[in-house]
Amino acid sequence: AQLIMVSMILDGLDGTLARALKGTTQVGAELDTFVDLTSFGLAPALMAYQAVLKDYGLCGFMLASAIVLSGVYRLSRFRVVDPFRGQKGYLGLPITTNAGWMASFFIATECGQIDRNWFALDHGPVAMFFWATTLVMLALQVSRVRYAKPTKNPVVFIPFSVMMILLFTKSDLAVAAALTLCAYGFLYAFVHPFFYRQALLLEEEKEHVTLDR
């Protein structure tokens, strides 16, 4: 779970670094897709299966498979329909969102700072909320809901990087960082599209006004 979060930081830097060094290639762009599938599709599925889903037989195996298949379809469509490779927003929830949601939640439950009797992923209301949200995120990955590209502004990126570092500690700060990242992923997945849609509509209105003039 911690390494999935590290992958998210590296995923936010690799393209920026390649463009800054004028080292972008078609091969690199394709390789990035396969790396994303490994880090944010296969790794979360294996993590979830080994930690919880293996105890639920066929249903657990199917859910783990759904995590992978949703990611495969999401990234395949990304390669085909997005010539800007996410620089101008995404069609469907980015695969990193669900991966970050799952990894952060697993860290919060496994760091030993919260009572596992009620904050667990194999029983109880918290588990039901977590898995239900995960399923909806998997559906959003293959949906046609539009999302803006998350900002890489240092004002946002640096605090996120600090929270990622805190995830490697065994303290209340690790729990706070993990739950904060969970909250961000949840808001991005379920609230952000409404604001992004309004922004797109305003932009279209401005373009129409400019054309009329």
Side-chain angles (χ1 to χ4, degrees), residues 2-82:
Q2 291 168 327
L3 292 177
I4 288 171
M5 302 307 290
V6 172
S7 297
M8 291 185 68
I9 295 179
L10 298 178
D11 183 59
L13 294 175
D14 58 358
T16 302
L17 186 61
R19 286 186 289 273
L21 297 176
K22 299 186 181 341
T24 57
T25 64
Q26 197 66 30
V27 173
E30 296 302 318
L31 180 61
D32 182 72
T33 301
F34 290 105
V35 172
D36 286 351
L37 176 59
T38 302
S39 299
F40 309 124
L42 289 171
L46 288 170
M47 175 186 69
Y49 186 78
Q50 287 295 328
V52 178
L53 299 179
K54 68 178 185 296
D55 297 327
Y56 291 87
L58 181 60
C59 290
F61 178 78
M62 291 177 64
L63 179 51
S65 299
I67 296 170
V68 178
L69 293 175
S70 175
V72 168
Y73 184 82
R74 168 74 183 82
L75 292 172
S76 298
R77 188 176 65 180
F78 172 73
R79 294 173 62 196
V80 173
V81 305
D82 186 1

Side-chain angles (χ1 to χ4, degrees), residues 109-149:
T109 60
E110 296 294 330
C111 68
Q113 302 297 317
I114 302 179
D115 185 359
R116 289 287 301 275
N117 289 326
W118 68 273
F119 198 87
L121 296 181
D122 55 357
H123 67 275
V126 173
M128 292 179 62
F129 170 73
F130 171 78
W131 293 112
T133 301
T134 299
L135 282 171
V136 177
M137 284 189 178
L138 295 180
L140 286 172
Q141 283 184 173
V142 298
S143 73
R144 302 190 70 82
V145 177
R146 296 199 65 85
Y147 290 85
K149 182 179 179 64

Side-chain angles (χ1 to χ4, degrees), residues 93 140 145-148 187-198:
L93 182 68
L140 286 172
V145 177
R146 296 199 65 85
Y147 290 85
L187 291 173
Y188 180 78
F190 298 107
V191 177
H192 173 78
F194 297 102
F195 292 98
Y196 184 53
R197 179 177 175 80
Q198 291 298 320

